[in-house]
Amino acid sequence: GARLDIARLGVLSARPGTALMLESTGPRKHWLRMTRGSIDVRLWAPPGRVALHTPAGDVIALGCIFSLDVEADGETRLQVHTGWVNLENAHGNTFVPAGASATMRACL
């Protein structure tokens, strides 16, 4: 696995086999793209500063600790440990609180 420091805003740990890349970075938002694999994220950033594109939609961290899994078919599973995460895709958006989990599938 690999560990990444996210611009003094948090830490991301990726398990072996994870496909992850930095898509864009700026003073207000850092976007990552994840196409498969598993990560654990711990952020102390202000809400909305770190986000990930997945095949199923966007995962926007709202200051939290969470785990994210992206399967080969694009299904994205989220488990929020502390704080909140916003999931967005063509079906709308969902706020997922600490202690909850959610699954997103790619929109056809």
Side-chain angles (χ1 to χ4, degrees), residues 8 30 52 56 88:
R8 296 184 307 270
H30 303 280
L52 295 107
E88 294 184 356

Side-chain angles (χ1 to χ4, degrees), residues 66-103:
F66 66 93
S67 299
L68 188 68
D69 298 297
V70 177
E71 300 298 327
D73 65 359
E75 181 176 280
T76 300
R77 291 188 318 275
L78 168 74
Q79 174 68 51
V80 181
H81 306 292
T82 66
W84 291 78
V85 174
N86 182 23
L87 299 179
E88 294 184 356
N89 67 13
H91 295 293
N93 68 342
T94 300
F95 290 93
V96 183
S101 60
T103 301

Side-chain angles (χ1 to χ4, degrees), residues 12 14 17-18 28 30 33-34 37 41-42 44 47 49-50 57 61 67-68 78 86-87 90 96 98 101 106 108:
L12 181 150
T18 298
R28 297 194 188 272
H30 303 280
R33 180 166 299 276
M34 183 174 167
V41 180
R42 177 182 298 267
W44 44 87
R49 294 283 300 272
V50 177
S67 299
L68 188 68
L78 168 74
N86 182 23
L87 299 179
V96 183
S101 60
L108 301 175

Side-chain angles (χ1 to χ4, degrees), residues 13-27:
S13 297
R15 292 188 200 102
T18 298
L20 182 71
M21 68 180 212
L22 178 63
E23 189 162 272
S24 68
T25 187

